[in-house]
Every structure is written in structure tokens, then in C-alpha cells.
Amino acid sequence: MKRPLSKPFTPYYRGRFAPSPSGPLHYGSLVTAVASYLQARCNRGLWQLRIEDIDPPREQKGAVRDILSSLRAFGFDWDGSVLYQSHRLAYYRHIAEQLHKHHLAFYCECSRKQLMKSPETRLGRLYEGKCRKLGLPSLTGHTLRMRVDKEHIKFNDGVFGVQSYDLLTDSGDYIVYRGDQLPSYTLAVSLDDLQQGYTELVRGADLLHLSARQLHLMQQFNRQLPQLLHIPIITDANGQKLSKQHYATALDTRHSSFLLYCALKDLGQEPPKYLCYRSINYIWNWAYSHWRVSSIAPEMSIKQGF
Ligand SMILES: [Zn+2]
């Protein structure tokens, strides 16, 4: 397809942190922010913030303000202005239409209920391809799916090493635009990451399984693909992921030094205990000179260390 992305690729390191405003910053997202920030700063690169606010029912009033003020309290310093996905809905829609126009995607009328009955779905395939040849129009209620053929997606993750996926059986014809007229997570983040020219995406290992479809989608635009680096997600004592959906506790910025120390520890950096009692600036300076990606455990999850 014609390249709709106009910003030139930049050859130096560009990274980002992309929270959703479904609640205040919690410890799990702090760990991700620390890892992506250190990767960017230790590579003398840019670090940007993106607010993933395209799912209004899950948003919490005041969450953006809380997240930004927590990040400031922890000493994060982002480059440029904050990006809001909600400002880009027309762009996502335009690209979705282009994907359809170039026959890379097709509209699907199958309901979730119908899909659950399908033998293919029961075998682990997400979509059986029923609507592929129907030529359905864009209508509310119709989802737009990428046409996926047998294809292997392989990449070398910065922590987990070589990853290989069979796109057809791992992902099937994945959704890029939803029936309720909103872009899918895959479409929005892939377009943003490409357009901003991020050279590496640092994020939680719970997103590892989505990498294949995101790389597949990005490949359609003939642009330099970012490197991927997944870090273990943080769980509570019961093994449950810390997330806003599970009411993870908001960070108490009065204990920012201790929490930053814990984040470095959970990232395998072995910070000396005395850092707990030092200023945020002191801890960041220690982290800049000791940061080693190779020390991060290639585990899907680790239990919160405090
Ligand atoms: Zn269908």
C-alpha cells in the first residue's frame, strides 16, 4: 500500500512509556517506566509519554493528571509533549480504510457468540475466515480484520531472545478496527510506534503474545521495525498481575526512593540497600551507571519484592 506515514525514521534511540488512564500509576507500571526510561537514557536517546485513552468506559476521571504527577515525583523527565491517542482517532480510521481499500483487511459480521461456536475457534484458531470473501461493507457492528496467511514472524527480544510465531495459528485474522468504531489496541499502538519512529519498545511480558500481529501489521508500511524488549510483569503474593483492573494500590510518592529502589531490584539490577535512603536523583545516577539489560530475568512474571 501507499505509505501514509510521513515522519522520517530517526536512526538514534527513541523509546516511550504508554500508560492507559484507567487508574493511577501502580507499582507494576512503575517498573515498566523505569526499564524503558533507563534504556532510553543509557542509550542517549529520547523518551516520550503516550496516553492510551481510547477506551472511555475503562478510564478514570483525573487519572492522567495523577499519572503525570506521579511520574514527575519519581524524577521522570519526558521529551516533547505528551501524546494522546484520543486525538488521533480520525487518523486510525483513515489507515483502517486504507487497509481495506488495498485488500489487506476485510469486514467481518460474525458475532462473538457465533465465533465461540466455531470448531476452528475451539481448536485454538481465533477466526475461521468465514467473511474473507464476502466483500462486506463498512458498517457499525462490522469488525475489520487483517487477512493473515501462513507466515512465520521471528524476532529477537532484548530479554527473552529469539521468538518465533506461526501467525495463522497464533493470531488468525486479527481485528484492526472494532464494530463500535474504535481502533483495536493492535492498530493504534502499531501506528503510533511506527509514526513516532521508536527504535525499541520496552513493555510487560503480558504483551509478548501480541508481538507477532503487531510486527505483521507494521510490516505493511515498509518502515524500519522497532526492537522489542519485554520485562517480567509484577504480580502480588497470589500471583495476580498488578493492574488497574485488579485495583493495584496507587503509588505513595512519599516513599519514592524506596519504591524506585524496589523497581531496580525487581529488574535484576542488584541496587545496594543504602539507596533506599538516598534522594531520587542519587538513585537515578546510580542506575544510569549500573543499568544492564542482561540482568533482567527472562521470566513472564515475578512477585512484587516488598
Ligand atoms: Zn466473520
Side-chain angles (χ1 to χ4, degrees):
M1 69 187 279
K2 206 175 152 205
R3 293 186 207 176
L5 302 161
S6 53
K7 255 193 157 180
F9 168 71
T10 43
Y12 53 88
Y13 192 102
R14 291 174 71 96
R16 49 65 164 182
F17 174 59
S20 60
S22 48
L25 197 72
H26 58 77
Y27 181 69
S29 40
L30 174 71
V31 173
T32 308
V34 168
S36 66
Y37 191 64
L38 286 170
Q39 264 300 81
R41 294 305 184 223
C42 292
N43 283 290
R44 298 180 182 281
L46 291 178
W47 189 73
Q48 294 192 307
L49 266 191
R50 176 171 81 220
I51 302 292
E52 299 193 335
D53 55 347
I54 47 169
D55 200 352
R58 284 175 53 195
E59 281 166 31
Q60 201 182 85
K61 206 164 180 252
V64 173
R65 193 192 55 228
D66 287 352
I67 290 170
L68 298 185
S69 101
S70 293
L71 288 171
R72 281 192 200 99
F74 279 93
F76 291 98
D77 176 22
W78 52 90
D79 295 298
S81 49
V82 179
L83 265 86
Y84 291 87
Q85 287 190 323
S86 59
H87 297 176
R88 292 162 55 76
L89 292 173
Y91 174 69
Y92 302 138
R93 171 152 201 113
H94 169 71
I95 297 295
E97 283 164 357
Q98 293 292 309
L99 290 168
H100 179 243
K101 191 176 152 195
H102 288 83
H103 309 291
L104 294 166
F106 62 92
Y107 283 101
C108 163
E109 62 180 355
C110 303
S111 66
R112 190 179 289 257
K113 207 170 156 189
Q114 282 171 313
L115 291 175
M116 291 313 286
K117 281 185 189 160
S118 139
E120 292 278 2
T121 307
R122 285 205 297 272
L123 286 171
R125 284 268 297 277
L126 298 182
Y127 184 68
E128 56 172 0
K130 177 178 160 282
C131 302
R132 269 186 171 215
K133 290 180 181 159
L134 298 185
L136 294 168
S138 164
L139 282 179
T140 301
H142 285 181
T143 53
L144 183 67
R145 291 179 181 275
M146 282 300 280
R147 196 181 296 274
V148 169
D149 294 312
K150 195 157 177 55
E151 192 173 342
H152 264 91
I153 301 279
K154 202 171 167 183
F155 62 93
N156 193 3
D157 185 84
V159 167
F160 285 81
V162 175
Q163 303 291 305
S164 178
Y165 292 90
D166 179 342
L167 196 62
L168 199 56
T169 49
D170 172 65
S171 149
D173 296 334
Y174 58 89
I175 294 174
V176 282
Y177 209 76
R178 299 174 3 183
D180 58 2
Q181 303 299 297
L182 283 172
S184 69
Y185 172 81
T186 297
L187 182 75
V189 302
S190 303
L191 292 179
D192 290 343
D193 289 336
L194 270 188
Q195 198 178 41
Q196 294 301 315
Y198 296 131
T199 55
E200 185 174 69
L201 311 180
V202 178
R203 56 190 200 169
D206 53 329
L207 296 173
L208 190 58
H209 73 289
L210 293 178
S211 303
R213 66 181 71 176
Q214 286 171 11
L215 290 172
H216 173 258
L217 184 59
M218 288 178 173
Q219 281 170 5
Q220 313 305 319
F221 301 95
N222 294 325
R223 293 285 298 272
Q224 179 77 33
L225 301 183
Q227 297 291 312
L228 298 179
L229 191 159
H230 289 86
I231 60 167
I233 56 159
I234 307 295
T235 64
D236 61 18
N238 303 318
Q240 186 84 50
K241 183 196 170 194
L242 294 186
S243 72
K244 290 154 189 167
Q245 285 72 42
H246 291 110
Y247 305 104
T249 327
L251 292 171
D252 185 345
T253 51
R254 288 173 303 175
H255 304 301
S256 51
S257 290
F258 173 69
L259 291 165
L260 188 52
Y261 159 83
C262 291
L264 290 168
K265 197 160 176 259
D266 284 343
L267 287 164
Q269 305 301 302
E270 301 181 352
K273 186 84 200 217
Y274 73 84
L275 284 186
C276 289
Y277 310 105
R278 298 298 170 96
S279 70
I280 283 287
N281 272 347
Y282 188 98
I283 302 174
W284 279 123
N285 283 330
W286 181 90
Y288 295 147
S289 49
H290 291 83
W291 175 243
R292 283 164 65 114
V293 170
S294 58
S295 299
I296 302 173
E299 309 271 353
M300 290 305 285
S301 63
I302 48 173
K303 279 192 183 151
Q304 188 173 354
F306 60 91

